[in-house]
Amino acid sequence: MASKPPLSPVRFAGSTAYISGQLPRGADGKIIAGNMQDQSRQALANLAAVLKSEGLQLSDVVKVTAWITDVDAMADFNLVYREYFAEPYPTRSTIVSALVVPDAMVEIEAIAYKDSQ
């Protein structure tokens, strides 16, 4: 297995948290098998876990950037996305692109804000 990439899972600038792209990795660190829905659920579960580790939750997310590898899977991605995020939804950019990690169909990064008051 390749060495870990030089990145932090999350960094803060004041009350704003920047969360690195989350891939659909299982507990063993490998990309899970499955379709876009399966991989989207895993990537979003990983995002939720990073947020929780910092005392944040999905409702604190204000911006999402998602990369998917197949435009035809957009409906499946949106279906799962709605399971994790409620209105008012975070702002979002979605890019159709190849991903660096083989077998990954989705990667999701986020910006979260937690008012300290």
Side-chain angles (χ1 to χ4, degrees):
M1 184 172 185
S3 64
K4 263 183 104 169
L7 59 83
S8 298
V10 62
R11 289 287 309 267
F12 280 86
S15 297
T16 303
Y18 296 84
I19 297 91
S20 289
Q22 299 300 303
L23 291 159
R25 293 188 189 279
D28 61 1
K30 295 179 181 173
I31 299 298
I32 65 160
N35 59 27
M36 177 59 81
Q37 288 187 26
D38 298 328
Q39 287 204 4
S40 295
R41 279 189 189 95
Q42 185 65 55
L44 286 164
N46 294 346
L47 174 64
V50 172
L51 290 164
K52 185 177 179 182
S53 75
E54 298 295 334
L56 298 164
Q57 51 195 352
L58 289 167
S59 60
D60 296 318
V61 173
V62 295
K63 171 72 167 98
V64 169
T65 303
W67 290 264
I68 63 173
T69 58
D70 182 1
V71 71
D72 292 332
M74 189 71 187
D76 288 331
F77 174 75
N78 280 331
L79 180 75
V80 174
Y81 190 86
R82 286 184 177 97
E83 293 173 10
Y84 285 81
F85 291 104
E87 290 188 38
Y89 297 112
T91 62
R92 187 177 94 189
S93 300
T94 306
I95 300 117
V96 178
S97 170
L99 296 174
V100 172
V101 178
D103 301 322
M105 294 180 229
V106 62
E107 183 171 355
I108 303 166
E109 72 175 25
I111 299 171
Y113 178 81
K114 185 69 169 185
D115 192 353
S116 58
Q117 297 180 13

